[in-house]
Amino acid sequence: MRAAVVKTFGGPETVEIVETEVPEPGARQVRIKVAAAALNPVDAGVRGGFFGGAGKQIGFGWDVAGTVDATGVATAWSVGDEVVALDPGMVRPLGTHAEYVVVETDAVATAPATVDAVHASTLPLNALTAEQALELLELAKGQSLLVTGAAGAVGGFAIQLAVARGLSVTALAREDDEELVRSLGAAHFASGTAEAAAFDGVLDAANLGEAALRWVRDGGAYVGVRPGGHPDSVRGIRTTAVAVTPDGARLAKLASLVDEGVLTLRVADTYPLTDAAKAHARLEEGGVRGRLVLVP
């Protein structure tokens, strides 16, 4: 099978397509024939060596949508099931940017029925990150939330999931993204700055860090999306960061929210797997609204 990997860290030109053996599922694993796999900023970090692994072949991709085509023992999935899954890993020989991928059975969920595989592949990583971040914030219905980087993939899901929880959401984004974030459900909009110490919580999808704490009230909560990168607590603010983990049961609920029209899946463009380097180059340019998706 073909897979996108990096063997020497650097820019988009370092992305290679290699031929390798089709992986076999073990106990409590399934093999998915990949129909689509989203490209995320974490993949650019892998390519640049941010997570280490010098001298190794490292695969790209955490998101996948496709069809179960083989199973190990002790799994409830069957060949032919249309699924989505999160397959995380910073330094490993192969990821989801391949023709086939093996994932843990508990990471898998039935794909949304109302969208195609390309759109479905944008759900797992970013929606689970947003959902798990909101859980860490522990805000109650009626409380106020500021989402930074609100026009991005995590930020967009965070707005919609927070609104569904009954939170009052303010979106912090560029001025030309106001219409977008309001369409996702944000009741209020801020560009460049927001009212100091006004919010019960901040979900910092833009990775502003310490600078974002000025928008949290005393005793409020801050959650970042860079594991280990959250700022120290001040004014009694509880600070932490989400380290997204696979959760097939939660992913299934998120998929049902897609089918109910609660969550919007955004695709910026698609590329053949063989053009993975071009997709990386487009990601590097910035300003992408929605996800770039690779199709084997």
Side-chain angles (χ1 to χ4, degrees), residues 23 32 74:
I32 299 171

Side-chain angles (χ1 to χ4, degrees), residues 1-3 5 17-23 57 93-94 98-100:
M1 72 167 190
R2 295 173 299 178
V5 303
I17 303 299
V18 299
E19 290 284 346
T20 186
E21 292 185 0
V22 175
Q57 172 181 296
L94 297 170
E99 293 179 304
Y100 295 87

Side-chain angles (χ1 to χ4, degrees), residues 25 29-33 66-72 75-83:
Q29 292 182 327
V30 300
R31 186 174 68 207
I32 299 171
K33 179 176 173 53
T67 306
V68 174
D69 92 314
T71 65
T75 175
W77 298 100
S78 301
V79 171
D81 288 341
E82 300 291 333
V83 297

Side-chain angles (χ1 to χ4, degrees), residues 130 134 137 144-152 154-160 162-163 167-173 181 186 188-190 199 201-206 208 215:
L134 287 169
L137 282 167
S144 59
L145 172 69
L146 175 70
V147 178
T148 74
V154 172
F157 284 134
I159 292 171
Q160 294 185 307
V163 170
L167 302 180
S168 174
V169 179
T170 297
L172 182 66
V181 297
H188 310 285
F189 175 78
F199 299 95
V202 168
L203 196 162
D204 187 17
L208 300 179
W215 300 316

Side-chain angles (χ1 to χ4, degrees), residues 93-119:
L94 297 170
T96 65
H97 294 176
E99 293 179 304
Y100 295 87
V101 63
V102 168
V103 300
E104 300 299 318
T105 185
D106 292 341
V108 181
T110 299
T114 55
V115 298
D116 60 20
V118 168
H119 284 80

Side-chain angles (χ1 to χ4, degrees), residues 98-280:
E99 293 179 304
Y100 295 87
V101 63
V102 168
V103 300
E104 300 299 318
T105 185
D106 292 341
V108 181
T110 299
T114 55
V115 298
D116 60 20
V118 168
H119 284 80
S121 74
T122 68
L123 180 69
L125 173 59
N126 294 291
L128 280 171
T129 298
E131 175 72 359
Q132 292 173 12
L134 287 169
E135 290 174 355
L136 290 172
L137 282 167
E138 298 180 351
L139 297 181
K141 183 177 181 179
Q143 288 192 292
S144 59
L145 172 69
L146 175 70
V147 178
T148 74
V154 172
F157 284 134
I159 292 171
Q160 294 185 307
L161 290 168
V163 170
R165 288 169 176 249
L167 302 180
S168 174
V169 179
T170 297
L172 182 66
R174 297 175 181 173
E175 287 185 10
D176 55 3
D177 284 321
E178 180 175 1
E179 182 178 353
L180 168 63
V181 297
R182 286 192 182 276
S183 75
L184 296 174
H188 310 285
F189 175 78
S191 178
T193 186
E195 186 178 348
F199 299 95
D200 295 307
V202 168
L203 196 162
D204 187 17
N207 288 313
L208 300 179
E210 186 176 349
L213 293 182
R214 68 181 182 273
W215 300 316
V216 186
R217 66 166 174 80
D218 294 357
Y222 166 100
V223 173
V225 296
R226 182 176 295 164
H230 58 281
D232 294 333
S233 174
V234 295
R235 296 185 286 109
I237 297 170
R238 180 169 49 85
T239 64
T240 188
V242 61
V244 66
T245 56
D247 186 337
R250 185 56 51 86
L251 183 56
K253 293 179 181 178
L254 293 167
S256 70
L257 292 178
V258 172
D259 289 335
E260 293 168 16
V262 174
L263 291 182
T264 302
L265 303 180
R266 295 180 286 155
V267 173
D269 205 352
T270 60
Y271 293 82
L273 177 64
T274 50
D275 284 345
K278 293 181 180 179
H280 276 255

